[in-house]
Amino acid sequence: LSEAVFDILNFGYTADKENSFKLLKNRYIQDEKGIHGIDLGVKPKGLYEADIVRNVDESAFLSKSGLKKHRFKLLKSIKYNNADTYVISFDQREDSKESLYTGKIFIDQESYAFVSFEYRRSETGLQYAKYGDGATRTLLKLLGMKIDIRGESHVVSYHNYNGKWAVSNAKEIHMWNFQSDKQFYDFPARIQLDYIVTGIDTANTEKFQSNASLGNNKLIEFQNTGNQIDFWKDYNILLPDYNSDSIARILISKNEASSLKKQVEKKLKYFPKDKTARIDSIISFFYQKVAFNGSVLIKQN
């Protein structure tokens, strides 16, 4: 679980300048044992890429090559945020041997601005889905690790701000499977990103100072901004669709248990050799650490 509050300096959809990212506050917790040493996180570059209009030339379905690989169809006209809006559906061509996309595009009838995108990996080409580029896959192979893409979905919306459109919110869900022959794990992961713009300032557009700007490929989760409880208490802008507090408590408990297990393993050589006394020493250790209270039944062999 991770949360972050940040500023993005966007020079506009027609500018060649790259976005800049300034992290204001973040907090992060993970299941240290359950992730098997894999670092999952979000980079500023990943947030920029969520804005399809800003990166239209790299879009899998709106770039010049992407337009040729998909079929588009005008479906209907609807009211979207009280405005007349065209709905266009698309899907990858049946003869394509790639993993591409299917979904809907919403376009404002008056300005022809993109209002929203709802899209996912097409079932037609999902069998061809590959994680990362060739170099990344080669590195994973050397590490004895494999990541399979099982599914992916996106929603990106834009808001009319005083006659100009800007990204409003984005949501991504990635379904991956992690496998390692060396580390002996094989597990699926559902990775979700929710990203919402809470304010737009068109006046204060000065560049961020170099020491305040976070590099495009640095993981946001691993930056230390201090964990001020009062700050987060008043910043519930984006509410989770699950009980994040209870999940956090479970993760903390798991991490503490894993840490205690490592501690007791170091102490084992000092415990009595007699099995009964040895077991009693182990249970007593967990009891003293307020990590166990109860009875233990052990079956021999």
Side-chain angles (χ1 to χ4, degrees):
L1 297 174
S2 67
E3 277 184 295
V5 179
F6 49 85
D7 285 339
I8 289 179
L9 180 57
N10 184 336
F11 290 95
Y13 292 117
T14 59
D16 293 330
K17 295 180 180 178
E18 282 193 345
N19 289 349
S20 294
F21 183 97
K22 181 168 71 173
L23 182 62
L24 302 179
K25 193 69 66 177
N26 75 311
R27 61 179 179 175
Y28 170 63
I29 184 173
Q30 65 181 10
D31 181 348
E32 294 167 3
K33 185 179 178 182
I35 63 169
H36 300 279
I38 301 168
D39 289 332
L40 295 175
V42 180
K43 301 175 182 179
K45 184 180 178 182
L47 292 174
Y48 304 157
E49 290 171 351
D51 186 351
I52 293 178
V53 178
R54 187 79 165 89
N55 301 278
V56 69
D57 292 336
E58 287 80 44
S59 168
F61 53 87
L62 285 184
S63 62
K64 287 184 179 179
S65 61
L67 289 169
K68 295 176 183 178
K69 296 175 182 178
H70 293 80
R71 295 185 185 276
F72 296 82
K73 181 180 179 182
L74 178 62
L75 290 183
K76 56 187 174 181
S77 177
I78 64 168
K79 285 285 185 182
Y80 191 101
N81 290 340
N82 296 319
D84 293 327
T85 307
Y86 294 121
V87 183
I88 296 174
S89 67
F90 66 93
D91 199 350
Q92 73 175 82
R93 292 180 176 271
E94 296 81 359
D95 57 352
S96 178
K97 302 298 181 182
E98 295 180 70
S99 176
L100 297 170
Y101 294 90
T102 180
K104 293 178 181 178
I105 302 172
F106 300 82
I107 298 177
D108 181 68
Q109 288 190 26
E110 183 178 349
S111 63
Y112 296 117
F114 291 114
V115 175
S116 183
F117 298 90
E118 297 176 3
Y119 63 102
R120 66 183 189 278
R121 291 261 182 184
S122 175
E123 294 293 333
T124 304
L126 190 57
Q127 59 181 311
Y128 303 109
K130 295 179 181 178
Y131 175 83
D133 55 20
T136 302
R137 291 192 294 274
T138 300
L139 179 60
L140 289 173
K141 191 173 182 179
L142 290 172
L143 295 171
M145 183 178 173
K146 185 181 179 184
I147 302 177
D148 290 324
I149 297 175
R150 301 285 176 84
E152 178 186 335
S153 64
H154 301 256
V155 177
V156 185
S157 299
Y158 293 81
H159 180 68
N160 188 336
Y161 181 80
N162 292 339
K164 294 192 175 183
W165 293 81
V167 67
S168 171
N169 60 279
K171 183 171 187 171
E172 299 179 10
I173 297 175
H174 298 268
M175 306 294 291
W176 293 347
N177 193 83
F178 293 88
Q179 184 179 353
S180 172
D181 296 331
K182 292 183 178 180
Q183 299 296 324
F184 306 108
Y185 60 72
D186 187 344
F187 65 93
R190 181 183 186 274
I191 301 162
Q192 179 174 320
L193 167 70
D194 289 291
Y195 163 33
I196 185 169
V197 175
T198 60
I200 297 175
D201 186 350
T202 58
N204 183 22
T205 56
E206 293 182 5
K207 285 187 177 180
F208 302 142
Q209 294 182 359
S210 58
N211 61 350
S213 183
L214 186 65
N216 287 350
N217 290 305
K218 289 190 175 181
L219 287 173
I220 297 169
E221 283 81 356
F222 296 163
Q223 311 308 312
N224 185 11
T225 60
N227 189 3
Q228 298 174 7
I229 296 174
D230 290 343
F231 174 88
W232 294 106
K233 183 178 68 175
D234 298 327
Y235 215 96
N236 288 324
I237 300 296
L238 186 62
L239 297 176
D241 50 10
Y242 48 82
N243 190 333
S244 58
D245 288 338
S246 65
I247 293 175
R249 284 195 294 271
I250 291 169
L251 293 181
I252 291 170
S253 176
K254 280 187 175 183
N255 293 340
E256 288 177 347
S258 178
S259 174
L260 290 174
K261 184 179 178 183
K262 290 176 182 177
Q263 290 180 41
V264 81
E265 284 172 350
K266 290 180 181 179
K267 293 177 176 289
L268 277 175
K269 59 183 178 182
Y270 304 111
F271 287 171
K273 298 298 180 184
D274 177 73
K275 284 184 179 180
T276 304
R278 195 173 180 83
I279 291 168
D280 186 64
S281 297
I282 293 171
I283 301 304
S284 295
F285 171 82
F286 283 102
Y287 175 78
Q288 290 164 10
K289 296 292 183 179
V290 199
F292 176 80
N293 183 25
S295 301
V296 180
L297 181 67
I298 296 175
K299 183 177 179 182
Q300 292 197 56
N301 302 319

